[in-house]
Structure formats: C-alpha cells, structure tokens
Amino acid sequence: MTTIGFVRHGVTAWNKEGRAQGNTDIPLDEEGIHMAERAATRIQNEEWDVIYTSPLIRAKKTAEIIAQKYPRVDFYEDKRLGEIGGGIIEGTTEEERIAKWGPAWRDLELGFEAEDVIISRGMSFIEEIKKKHLGQRVLVVSHGGFISRLLYTLVPDGEFSRDIGNTAITIVELKDDVNVCHLYNCMKHLEVKEVR
C-alpha cells in the first residue's frame, strides 16, 4: 500500500486574472510563495518519504519550499506531472475566449491535450510510484487540472470538483482492490491566522 499526497501549486498572477496557464511557465507571485510556506508548515510534522514535482516553475517552487522542511527526503522532477496542455487558449481569460471563439469554445479544436493522453501519463507515473515506493508516503506537487483528472481515475466513485484550490492537499491511499481518498482539497492551512 502506497500513500500519495497531492499538493497543487501556490497562486500565480495568471490564476488571479483567470488566465489559462497550461504548459506556460508562469511563476508564483508573492502570495503564492506565502501559500506554499503555509502548506509546508501544515505538513511538516507528517512523515513523507519522497517528493515529486512537475518541472513547471510554479509547482517546482512550491515543492522546493515544502522540501526545505524535509532536508533528508529525495526530491525529483517528473514531466508527467505537468499541467494539461491548453493549446492556443493558454494566456487567455474566459471573456477573451468567448470574444474570439464564441461561448462553445470548449467544443472547438484548439490544441488541448487529449483526455486519454493526460490519463495515460498520469497513470504511468502512478504505476511506477507503486512499484518504486511500495508502502511509502509520496508527496506529489502538481497542477489543479491534472490532479483532478487523475483523482477521478484513481477513485472513480469519489465526488470531486474539478476546482482544486491553490496549495490544497489531497491524500489518496493506493490499494490493490480499491483506492481510498482520505483527505480532499484541504486548505485549512490558509485559514489559520498568523501570529506576528
């Protein structure tokens, strides 16, 4: 049995503007760094054996901030954990997409990464993790769209929103028969008032 803790990256300027990010390499803004620090503090007393991250800078920086709490834990980048490719909508807001392609823009061929490709790379990562880290606790820092699709595949009966919050923590236990989601989209670390 392997446990995976999914963490979405901290917030970026494009998140705040409602711009599709996809594979565009947008950094965390100051608030995003602060959010990552809060997430790191939230999980620092938990035992994690290894950390994997998407190579995109917003996820990698979030993972690096968390990894500072785990100096003896191995840290790896994996391209399979990157966000879903958004094609030519990357960098645009919903309003801009409607103006350019109409309200049914989601139904058009705009270069989105295919659903089966997303699931294939996600499950390829999961299967490798199950073999390499059997019985371990693996922290995975990635992206909202990717995490939500992978969750639906891992726990098909789960009731999940597609909207994973920035630095939200989700914990899934991978079992031989049925996977179990023990924590979903938890952002309590952002609610705690800081003592100054």
Side-chain angles (χ1 to χ4, degrees):
M1 181 177 69
T2 302
T3 300
I4 297 198
F6 291 104
V7 181
R8 185 186 174 198
H9 61 79
V11 78
T12 70
W14 275 22
N15 283 144
K16 290 175 179 174
E17 293 166 11
R19 295 189 182 281
Q21 290 182 121
N23 289 316
T24 307
D25 214 0
I26 303 300
L28 297 179
D29 66 9
E30 195 174 321
E31 185 185 355
I33 289 170
H34 187 58
M35 290 168 82
E37 288 165 351
R38 299 283 285 272
T41 300
R42 146 85 166 74
I43 61 176
Q44 70 182 353
N45 296 322
E46 297 175 9
E47 195 176 307
W48 294 100
D49 299 298
V50 62
I51 298 172
Y52 283 86
T53 182
S54 153
L56 292 172
I57 193 68
R58 58 192 183 270
K60 188 177 174 189
K61 180 67 175 175
T62 302
E64 286 169 348
I65 290 168
I66 292 169
Q68 288 172 7
K69 305 284 187 185
Y70 296 93
R72 292 182 187 84
V73 167
D74 288 335
F75 182 96
Y76 301 102
E77 284 181 45
D78 195 307
K79 286 192 295 194
R80 292 172 294 184
L81 299 174
E83 181 57 298
I84 295 164
I88 60 174
I89 73 157
E90 290 188 12
T92 65
T93 63
E94 177 75 10
E95 194 176 80
E96 289 167 347
R97 292 190 284 275
I98 289 170
K100 194 165 188 174
W101 298 295
W105 61 268
R106 284 179 182 82
D107 301 328
L108 302 175
E109 179 46 64
L110 299 174
F112 305 126
E113 183 176 5
E115 201 76 15
D116 61 331
V117 173
I118 299 162
I119 299 308
S120 173
R121 68 178 163 93
M123 290 311 292
S124 155
F125 172 80
I126 293 292
E127 291 308 317
E128 188 176 306
I129 289 304
K130 282 163 73 173
K131 288 182 189 130
K132 276 172 82 171
H133 302 288
L134 183 64
Q136 292 187 310
R137 290 173 56 84
V138 180
L139 204 58
V140 173
V141 183
S142 187
H143 307 267
F146 178 74
I147 293 170
S148 70
R149 281 166 178 80
L150 201 48
L151 267 179
Y152 274 110
T153 306
L154 292 171
V155 189
D157 296 334
E159 293 182 19
F160 307 119
S161 146
R162 285 268 166 139
D163 192 19
I164 305 279
N166 288 103
T167 69
I169 299 164
T170 298
I171 297 178
V172 177
E173 203 171 50
L174 304 176
K175 297 183 171 185
D176 290 335
D177 50 352
V178 62
N179 301 318
V180 180
C181 183
H182 289 292
L183 184 70
Y184 170 66
N185 208 14
C186 180
M187 295 184 288
K188 287 192 173 168
H189 52 280
L190 301 180
E191 296 167 11
V192 179
K193 285 200 166 69
E194 285 182 282
V195 179
R196 291 191 183 262

